[in-house]
Amino acid sequence: MDSVCIGKEGKKVSVKKKRRLLMRTVILIVLFAAVGFTLYASLTKDKSPIVVGEKAPDFVLTDLEGNKHQLSDYKGKGVFINFWGTWCEPCKVEMPHINTQYNEYKSQGVEVLAVNMGEPTLLINNFLDKYDFTFPVLEDKSKDVAGLYNIYKLPATIIVDSDGVIVDIVEGQLPEGRIKAMMEQIKPE
């Protein structure tokens, strides 16, 4: 004989029916969660990862002085885009080397855009007070540009030639000799 429970309306409900209803509810919840996750993942994933040999995605960011920098405005110049953070030890090592090479190559048509990923302006300024960098430092507060370029590890460098085509993508600290070679590679003819 089935065990009997009293339901909300005061009616008798068998324990088997109650268990079946609970199992169906759990299955429906899991199914809806899976569908929701799949939709979320497909809508938020980057549809077109950047690739060497393709046009660099355009972006506009503001530097610490309030000037806007749009990548497409640098057409005709080589652009060395470096993503960094104040907490990143390898960034602290490579940034002075980037500045040294920038000072050598800027008159030859090479620009550096140092993109800070989402840190407060005060923190960035405190970091920069320790150095005398001459290249523009841009703020990617929402990390949209980092997402556009699939940057998740710092430091990361993207070099773009004078036609706006990605020439190289490098994650990790760059030694000064490699920085020099990269700038030489994107120097306009």
Side-chain angles (χ1 to χ4, degrees), residues 46-58:
D46 192 353
K47 307 252 188 288
S48 56
I50 61 166
V51 178
V52 170
E54 292 187 359
K55 196 88 163 156
D58 199 16

Side-chain angles (χ1 to χ4, degrees), residues 14-150:
S14 77
V15 172
K16 282 185 180 180
K17 283 184 181 180
K18 199 168 186 172
R19 284 185 186 154
R20 224 176 315 162
L21 180 63
L22 180 63
M23 284 303 292
R24 288 178 182 164
T25 304
V26 169
I27 290 170
L28 279 173
I29 290 171
V30 169
L31 183 63
F32 280 119
V35 168
F37 175 78
T38 302
L39 285 173
Y40 172 78
S42 69
L43 292 173
T44 58
K45 77 174 184 176
D46 192 353
K47 307 252 188 288
S48 56
I50 61 166
V51 178
V52 170
E54 292 187 359
K55 196 88 163 156
D58 199 16
F59 62 85
V60 177
L61 289 174
T62 305
D63 66 24
L64 297 169
E65 286 78 42
N67 303 311
K68 292 199 181 295
H69 295 262
Q70 185 163 359
L71 181 61
S72 57
D73 289 345
Y74 291 97
K75 188 163 175 64
K77 295 184 174 194
V79 184
F80 187 100
I81 306 168
N82 183 258
F83 291 87
W84 67 282
T86 61
W87 51 268
C88 168
E89 291 302 318
C91 300
K92 293 176 187 177
V93 173
E94 78 176 4
M95 287 181 79
H97 300 313
I98 293 169
N99 193 64
T100 299
Q101 294 308 312
Y102 172 63
N103 289 329
E104 183 177 325
Y105 280 90
K106 68 182 170 185
S107 64
Q108 300 175 52
V110 175
E111 293 292 332
V112 169
L113 299 176
V115 180
N116 178 274
M117 287 181 48
E119 294 183 284
T121 304
L122 180 63
L123 193 61
I124 298 168
N125 282 325
N126 286 343
F127 175 84
L128 295 175
D129 284 345
K130 299 173 189 168
Y131 302 95
D132 189 25
F133 298 137
T134 55
F135 50 74
V137 174
L138 313 180
E139 294 180 280
D140 186 11
K141 293 224 176 270
S142 61
K143 300 182 186 177
D144 289 341
V145 175
L148 182 64
Y149 279 82
N150 298 318

